[in-house]
Amino acid sequence: MGPTSSPLTPKMYLLIFCTCDVLSLVIQAIGGGLASSASSEVNGDTKPGTDTMVAGIVFQLASITVFVYFFFVFLKRVRSQVLPRNMKILVLAACFSVVMIYVRSIYRTVELLQGWDGYLITHQVYFVVLDGALMVAAVGVFNVWNPGWLLMSTPKPRESEETELRNNEPRKLQGSSLDS
């Protein structure tokens, strides 16, 4: 397992998916603000704000779907490798967390598509189970199987593996603008 196991570099995952998440949250917040201000007006129309919120949630679901695709590519590449027990646990914990977040995202999309008077949004048990409990589980799994502890106990690669990894990394051009 190493840089060649993933379709993207760690830096690209951070850049792409954190940007998408922040953007989706901003879109949802704008929609929430529009819907909230319209609801306090006489004959206010909350539909534009609600539609904006739905757009943010759908964008978030789409970006999570792309992430899940890359995660499956990663899993496919590492499945033939012999992983230490702690790395298997970490991969399983990550799989569990991703499934919880994905199911929650589907729930949130359907919930808002139904509107403010929809069945899901007017029955609290769905919110508690499909939003709150799923997020607690998605995060809680890493309290039980802490990545910091699991990664610290991972055996270091042998020298031959380190050399192979270095030889497969893209090289920077000396004196080019890519150095910064």
Side-chain angles (χ1 to χ4, degrees):
M1 187 171 353
T4 58
S5 301
S6 179
L8 299 175
T9 64
K11 190 174 187 175
M12 289 306 294
Y13 278 105
L14 180 68
L15 181 68
I16 292 169
F17 295 108
C18 284
T19 300
C20 286
D21 205 37
V22 168
L23 185 58
S24 73
L25 292 174
V26 168
I27 293 168
Q28 290 173 60
I30 290 169
L34 291 171
S36 177
S37 64
S39 71
S40 62
E41 296 174 6
V42 177
N43 296 325
D45 184 12
T46 60
K47 185 164 175 32
T50 302
D51 290 346
T52 303
M53 287 178 70
V54 169
I57 289 173
V58 169
F59 177 72
Q60 187 175 42
L61 182 60
S63 66
I64 290 171
T65 301
V66 173
F67 175 81
V68 166
Y69 168 77
F70 285 129
F71 189 58
F72 279 128
V73 170
F74 165 78
L75 292 175
K76 185 178 177 187
R77 289 180 182 178
V78 299
R79 80 173 171 201
S80 63
Q81 297 178 21
V82 177
L83 298 176
R85 183 177 182 275
N86 57 328
M87 289 307 295
K88 288 179 185 176
I89 292 170
L90 184 57
V91 168
L92 288 173
C95 287
F96 176 80
S97 183
V98 165
V99 167
M100 296 297 104
I101 292 168
Y102 199 71
V103 170
R104 183 230 184 213
S105 296
I106 292 169
Y107 157 73
R108 293 282 292 142
T109 301
V110 173
E111 176 193 42
L112 266 186
L113 282 172
Q114 290 180 351
W116 297 107
D117 296 323
Y119 186 80
L120 291 176
I121 209 166
T122 58
H123 291 80
Q124 187 175 12
V125 68
Y126 294 106
F127 175 76
V128 170
V129 173
L130 294 172
D131 195 336
L134 290 181
M135 290 310 293
V136 167
V139 175
V141 69
F142 294 114
N143 286 322
V144 176
W145 292 286
N146 187 300
W149 298 333
L150 292 170
L151 290 172
M152 284 192 319
S153 62
T154 301
K156 298 217 182 274
R158 295 183 307 253
E159 187 175 323
S160 62
E161 290 172 345
E162 288 178 1
T163 303
E164 182 181 326
L165 287 175
R166 275 191 301 249
N167 290 338
N168 289 331
E169 289 179 5
R171 303 213 191 285
K172 286 186 178 180
L173 299 173
Q174 294 291 331
S176 74
S177 61
L178 296 175
D179 286 338
S180 47

